[in-house]
């Protein structure tokens, strides 16, 4: 016993070194597992975590720029809240003013009302649907701002390029996601055509609110306006090219998205054949996960 007691400090020291070495190995191994993930696996990992959340919130900013980048940039902010995994509300805040003028194009589009706006959406069969009987193309357009819809589009895209960005803040992983231009163009064309059809349906619905004696005349005027607008849109879409790039920031600890930005660039010809360029940027920050 006396010999063992003399050797015990040595055994304890050696055991401590072994345990310490094992802990370091485990820590390094876990870090290695994280780093061993490909960019595609990182996206799948964060998507799986997001799919398990019933509640979350986000705050976003959308900015629209036309021309060569020197023109007036129109922007507005919005917030969103997901409940019970399928119920989503997005509320737009009053538009910012630039030089004493409201953001004209966004205000004309109905997305920049002084008192704001609200859209309620529900997830149905993998798609976010606006919960409204009103044939409102403007509310349908809000879906394009929904970051959850954007993430779903990324997941479902047949062709995309996902790479890791260097210089990410500590504790985060940043992915750059470039959508296939041909696929992105087709998807956007389909949405714009659908929204154009909704404007016609909305106009017809409003005809029911006027007297029968005026309906026929107004119906003819509405038909002419819609036909002209539809032809102009078709000309613009025929040559339109779209590029869409996302940056997804992932919290390494939780595996959940903390930020998603997008940049959609459209190049097309006006009805008069003049080259046009528009860039829509969105920036969404997530929180409130449950």
């Amino acid at each position: 016993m006396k010999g063992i007691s003399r050797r015990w400090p040595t055994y304890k020291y050696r055991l401590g070194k072994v345990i310490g070495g094992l802990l370091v190995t485990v820590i390094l191994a876990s870090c290695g597992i994280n780093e061993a993930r490909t960019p595609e696996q990182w996206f799948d990992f964060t998507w799986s975590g997001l799919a398990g959340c019933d509640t979350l919130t986000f705050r976003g900013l959308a900015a629209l720029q036309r021309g060569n980048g020197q023109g007036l940039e129109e922007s507005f902010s919005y917030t969103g809240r997901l409940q019970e995994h399928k119920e989503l509300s997005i509320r737009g805040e009053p538009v910012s003013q630039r030089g004493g003028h409201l953001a004209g194009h966004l205000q004309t589009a109905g997305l920049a009302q002084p008192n704001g706006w609200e859209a309620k959406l529900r997830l149905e069969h993998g798609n976010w649907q606006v919960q409204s009987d009103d044939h409102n193309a403007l509310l349908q357009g809000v879906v394009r701002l929904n970051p959850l819809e954007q993430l779903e589009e990324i997941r479902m895209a047949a062709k995309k390029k996902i790479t890791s960005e260097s210089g990410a803040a500590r504790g985060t992983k940043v992915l750059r996601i470039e959508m296939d231009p041909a696929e992105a163009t087709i998807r956007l064309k389909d949405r714009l055509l659908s929204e154009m059809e909704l404007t016609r349906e909305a106009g017809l619905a409003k005809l029911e609110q006027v007297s029968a004696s005026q309906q026929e005349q107004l119906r003819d005027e509405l038909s002419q306006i819609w036909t002209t607008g539809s032809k102009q849109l078709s000309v613009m879409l025929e040559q339109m090219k779209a590029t869409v790039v996302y940056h997804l920031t992932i919290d390494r600890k939780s595996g959940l998205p903390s930020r998603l930005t997008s940049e959609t660039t459209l190049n097309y010809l006006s009805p008069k054949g003049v080259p046009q360029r528009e860039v829509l940027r969105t920036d969404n920050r997530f929180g409130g996960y449950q």
Side-chain angles (χ1 to χ4, degrees), residues 62-260:
L64 176 65
Q65 196 166 51
R66 299 172 185 266
N68 58 7
Q70 302 300 318
L72 181 67
E73 183 181 88
E74 303 156 358
S75 64
F76 65 97
S77 59
Y78 52 92
T79 58
R81 181 174 181 81
L82 175 70
Q83 294 180 301
E84 298 179 0
H85 192 69
K86 293 184 177 182
E87 304 292 337
L88 177 65
S89 62
I90 302 180
R91 179 169 180 77
E93 299 177 356
V95 68
S96 60
Q97 294 190 18
R98 303 292 179 86
H101 299 284
L102 288 174
H105 293 292
L106 292 176
Q107 188 178 24
T108 301
L111 296 179
Q113 301 174 19
N115 296 325
W117 47 265
E118 184 173 15
K120 293 186 180 297
L121 301 89
R122 180 176 174 81
L123 183 62
E124 297 179 355
H125 308 295
N127 295 313
W128 289 97
Q129 304 291 338
V130 175
Q131 299 300 292
S132 173
D133 294 331
D134 186 10
H135 301 290
N136 193 327
L138 305 176
L139 287 181
Q140 295 292 338
V142 171
V143 176
R144 281 185 271 149
L145 302 177
N146 176 10
L148 302 181
E149 173 80 0
Q150 293 174 349
L151 288 169
E152 176 68 16
E153 286 189 359
I154 294 171
R155 187 178 76 90
M156 296 298 294
K159 297 180 181 179
K160 53 183 176 283
K161 181 180 179 181
I162 305 179
T163 56
S164 296
E165 288 279 77
S166 60
R170 183 169 182 169
T172 68
K173 179 75 174 180
V174 178
L175 303 179
R176 182 184 187 277
I177 306 163
E178 184 176 353
M179 308 296 280
D180 177 68
E183 188 175 345
T185 299
I186 291 173
R187 183 184 295 272
L188 189 54
K189 283 182 178 180
D190 289 343
R191 280 193 168 176
L192 291 173
L193 288 171
S194 176
E195 291 168 15
M196 186 66 183
E197 178 61 25
L198 284 173
T199 61
R200 187 182 71 85
E201 295 177 2
L204 293 174
K206 289 182 179 180
L207 281 178
E208 303 300 325
Q209 302 173 12
V210 302
S211 63
S213 60
Q214 293 180 301
Q215 283 188 17
E216 185 174 353
Q217 178 184 351
L218 291 176
R219 191 184 304 275
D220 290 340
E221 292 179 2
L222 175 64
S223 177
Q224 291 176 7
I225 293 173
W226 186 85
T227 300
T228 301
S230 182
K231 288 180 179 179
Q232 289 179 348
L233 179 62
S234 296
V235 171
M236 293 163 65
L237 294 183
E238 187 176 354
Q239 301 295 329
M240 187 185 78
K241 302 295 182 184
T243 58
V244 183
V245 177
Y246 295 97
H247 283 87
L248 174 63
T249 303
I250 302 169
D251 185 309
R252 285 179 177 268
K253 185 176 181 180
S254 67
L256 294 169
S258 60
R259 185 182 184 187
L260 177 68

Side-chain angles (χ1 to χ4, degrees), residues 258-277:
S258 60
R259 185 182 184 187
L260 177 68
T261 67
S262 73
E263 181 173 291
T264 301
T265 303
L266 301 181
N267 289 285
Y268 59 92
L269 297 179
S270 73
K272 295 183 179 180
V274 180
Q276 303 290 321
R277 183 174 184 269

